[in-house]
């Protein structure tokens, strides 16, 4: 597991939303970009809790250990091999703020969790009262274009790039890449570690994001998401903040828009239709990720709070909760896995009924996969 130092929270100035100037230099990310040469992603079997309700992505874990604090282990990659074609172009993209629009949520009391859990072992319950301070949250998931801008400005290298591989859903791989696979996740064989898979190459080395710049960035670890948010002068949401945002002002509803999955026959999220994992009919228009904001926003004006890509939160994973009132809860102080919320384009009720506001899952902080992304939040001024 990767050792990290969590960034402290600082008050956010709304006046900076559209005037952010990048001050970070590549060398400031040097300590983050350390990895021992030749290390590869290891495959572990899924836990005994992984049954037919799981798509398996919560069991995608690395077996190697990397301590990013050890600057003596720095390995510098050939820039030509890590950066996209636009990385060394002129500054025409560097002067404007490409971060997502922030939406101010007033916080207050809301009911978190559920007393009718869809997947009880995930710790969805009990339902409890939570009070939050006002905060900002981005209206959509961080996109490939935004993440590319970040890497171009900072020289940041993701953990998937440094490990040399990442997990990909096999149904999206080309026959050429499939022919190179040597292992798969035992309890979820549709997941395989693919060499050369990373955020620029979501389905392996023969894939590209060239025509997916407005799709959510994938193959980002919790640490990668933290690094982006720090650069953007923002932070990852707590699980409570994320869930309040997901609910869109509605009380005790399954989805951000209500209790019916398809009101008036309309698709409200990018999910799996058909027989998982064998055939996605893509009735919602997408067999993979979709451009952000492709589906209706919730009552707060937020898009893709469920479906499309899983989203990291700041909290450590814990399945034991009480009914006592909480104020700005931040989860356990320590742990092994981080909470992710919202489900993805791979979610189907028969296998991964986690595209509900109360649903939750987890991964180790250094995990990355072809259905995992994030969005940022920021503190509101008192």
């Amino acid at each position: 597991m990767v050792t990290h130092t969590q960034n402290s929270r600082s008050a956010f100035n709304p006046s900076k939303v559209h005037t952010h100037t990048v001050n970070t230099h590549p060398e400031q990310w040097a300590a983050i970009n350390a990895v021992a040469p030749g290390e590869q992603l290891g495959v572990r079997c899924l836990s005994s809790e992984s049954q037919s309700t799981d798509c398996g992505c919560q069991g995608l874990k690395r077996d190697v250990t990397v301590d990013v604090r050890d600057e003596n282990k720095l390995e510098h990659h050939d820039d030509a091999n890590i950066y996209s074609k636009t990385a060394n172009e002129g500054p025409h993209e560097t002067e404007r703020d490409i971060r997502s629009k922030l939406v101010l949520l007033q916080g207050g009391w809301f009911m978190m969790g559920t007393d009718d859990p869809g997947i009880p072992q995930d710790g969805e319950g009990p339902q409890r009262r939570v009070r939050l301070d006002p905060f900002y949250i981005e209206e959509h998931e961080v996109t490939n274009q935004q993440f590319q801008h970040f890497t171009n400005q900072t020289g940041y290298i993701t953990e998937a790039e440094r490990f040399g591989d990442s997990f990909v859903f096999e149904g999206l791989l080309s026959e050429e890449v499939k022919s190179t696979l040597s292992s798969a996740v035992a309890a979820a064989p549709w997941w395989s570690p693919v060499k050369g898979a990373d955020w620029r190459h979501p389905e392996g080395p023969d894939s590209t994001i060239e025509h997916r710049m407005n799709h959510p960035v994938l193959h980002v670890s919790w640490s990668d998401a933290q690094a982006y948010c720090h650069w953007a002068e923002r932070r990852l949401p707590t699980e409570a903040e994320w869930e309040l945002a997901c609910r869109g002002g509605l009380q005790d509803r399954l989805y951000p828009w209500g209790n019916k999955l398809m009101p008036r026959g309309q698709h409200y999220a990018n999910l799996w239709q058909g027989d998982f994992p064998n055939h996605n009919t893509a009735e919602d228009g997408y067999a993979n990720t979709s451009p952000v904001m492709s589906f209706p926003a919730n009552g707060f004006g937020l898009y893709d709070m469920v479906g499309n890509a899983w989203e990291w939160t700041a909290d450590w994973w814990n399945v034991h909760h009480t009914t006592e009132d909480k104020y700005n809860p931040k989860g356990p102080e320590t742990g092994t896995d981080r909470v992710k919320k919202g489900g993805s384009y791979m979610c189907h009720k028969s296998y991964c009924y986690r595209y509900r506001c109360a649903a939750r899952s987890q991964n180790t902080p250094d995990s990355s996969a072809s259905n995992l992304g994030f969005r940022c939040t920021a503190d509101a001024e008192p």
Side-chain angles (χ1 to χ4, degrees), residues 40-62:
Q40 297 292 326
L41 180 151
V43 181
R44 294 180 181 173
C45 294
L46 297 183
S47 69
S48 59
E49 294 180 351
S50 298
Q51 302 170 355
S52 61
T53 56
D54 294 323
C55 72
C57 61
Q58 78 283 2
L60 308 181
K61 301 178 181 180
R62 300 185 185 277

Side-chain angles (χ1 to χ4, degrees), residues 13-54:
N13 184 348
S15 66
K16 294 183 180 180
V17 173
H18 298 293
T19 61
H20 175 59
T21 301
V22 177
N23 295 316
T24 311
H25 297 287
E27 58 267 31
Q28 292 179 269
W29 299 97
I32 300 177
N33 287 334
V35 64
E39 290 185 310
Q40 297 292 326
L41 180 151
V43 181
R44 294 180 181 173
C45 294
L46 297 183
S47 69
S48 59
E49 294 180 351
S50 298
Q51 302 170 355
S52 61
T53 56
D54 294 323

Side-chain angles (χ1 to χ4, degrees), residues 28-159:
Q28 292 179 269
W29 299 97
I32 300 177
N33 287 334
V35 64
E39 290 185 310
Q40 297 292 326
L41 180 151
V43 181
R44 294 180 181 173
C45 294
L46 297 183
S47 69
S48 59
E49 294 180 351
S50 298
Q51 302 170 355
S52 61
T53 56
D54 294 323
C55 72
C57 61
Q58 78 283 2
L60 308 181
K61 301 178 181 180
R62 300 185 185 277
D63 281 334
V64 300
T65 299
V66 178
D67 189 342
V68 298
R69 296 173 301 178
D70 190 350
E71 295 185 12
N72 295 323
K73 291 183 179 180
L74 281 179
E75 294 292 326
H76 295 283
H77 297 255
D78 179 359
D79 288 351
N81 292 327
I82 16 185
Y83 292 114
S84 65
K85 294 179 179 178
T86 60
N88 296 313
E89 290 183 358
H92 62 283
E93 286 291 326
T94 66
E95 299 303 324
R96 64 185 180 90
D97 186 358
I98 52 83
R99 297 175 303 167
S100 301
K101 174 186 174 183
L102 289 170
V103 176
L104 175 63
L105 303 186
Q106 294 298 333
W109 289 101
F110 81 104
M111 299 301 293
M112 182 174 178
T114 178
D115 288 329
D116 185 21
I119 306 177
Q121 66 267 27
D122 282 353
E124 296 178 7
Q127 193 174 66
R128 60 258 186 213
R129 290 207 326 155
V130 169
R131 184 165 71 92
L132 297 177
D133 289 334
F135 65 97
Y136 291 94
I137 188 165
E138 293 180 339
E139 67 174 348
H140 60 71
E141 295 156 329
V142 174
T143 66
N144 286 316
Q145 181 183 18
Q146 292 168 324
F147 199 80
Q148 178 172 270
H149 188 80
F150 156 65
T151 62
N152 288 349
Q153 291 296 299
T154 65
Y156 184 82
I157 304 169
T158 64
E159 292 198 281

Side-chain angles (χ1 to χ4, degrees), residues 12 34 65 88 196 326 345 370:
F12 180 78
T65 299
N88 296 313
K326 296 288 186 180
Y345 64 91
S370 59

Side-chain angles (χ1 to χ4, degrees), residues 107-324:
W109 289 101
F110 81 104
M111 299 301 293
M112 182 174 178
T114 178
D115 288 329
D116 185 21
I119 306 177
Q121 66 267 27
D122 282 353
E124 296 178 7
Q127 193 174 66
R128 60 258 186 213
R129 290 207 326 155
V130 169
R131 184 165 71 92
L132 297 177
D133 289 334
F135 65 97
Y136 291 94
I137 188 165
E138 293 180 339
E139 67 174 348
H140 60 71
E141 295 156 329
V142 174
T143 66
N144 286 316
Q145 181 183 18
Q146 292 168 324
F147 199 80
Q148 178 172 270
H149 188 80
F150 156 65
T151 62
N152 288 349
Q153 291 296 299
T154 65
Y156 184 82
I157 304 169
T158 64
E159 292 198 281
E161 290 171 291
R162 290 183 282 121
F163 280 106
D165 49 15
S166 187
F167 284 98
V168 182
F169 175 60
E170 190 171 350
L172 299 176
L173 297 175
S174 68
E175 292 303 319
E176 182 178 354
V177 172
K178 286 181 183 179
S179 68
T180 68
L181 299 180
S182 58
S183 59
V185 178
W190 47 86
W191 283 109
S192 294
V194 175
K195 293 182 179 180
D198 54 52
W199 71 272
R200 290 186 179 89
H201 310 95
E203 293 83 49
D206 61 353
S207 63
T208 178
I209 58 171
E210 182 179 356
H211 300 296
R212 287 182 276 182
M213 298 307 290
N214 60 345
H215 288 229
V217 64
L218 306 173
H219 295 288
V220 285
S221 69
W222 185 89
S223 308
D224 300 331
Q226 279 281 85
Y228 175 94
C229 290
H230 178 75
W231 166 81
E233 297 185 351
R234 298 177 181 179
R235 58 176 174 80
L236 285 173
T238 65
E239 182 179 7
E241 289 173 333
W242 191 99
E243 189 165 325
L244 180 145
C246 180
R247 294 185 178 279
L250 300 179
Q251 181 78 8
D252 200 23
R253 295 293 187 268
L254 290 173
Y255 312 117
W257 55 86
N259 282 331
K260 291 185 177 181
L261 180 60
M262 294 178 59
R264 300 175 299 281
Q266 181 180 359
H267 290 281
Y268 274 64
N270 180 2
L271 304 170
W272 184 287
Q273 295 89 43
D275 176 27
F276 184 89
N278 301 310
H279 179 57
N280 187 349
T281 62
E283 294 169 18
D284 58 12
Y286 303 95
N288 199 329
T289 56
S290 51
V292 297
M293 305 172 72
S294 293
F295 294 85
N298 71 2
F300 290 154
L302 305 174
Y303 296 86
D304 297 317
M305 291 302 298
V306 298
N308 214 8
W310 280 99
E311 299 182 20
W312 287 111
T313 74
D315 293 19
W316 288 110
W317 174 257
N318 173 44
V319 296
H320 303 292
H321 310 288
T322 68
T323 57
E324 66 181 31

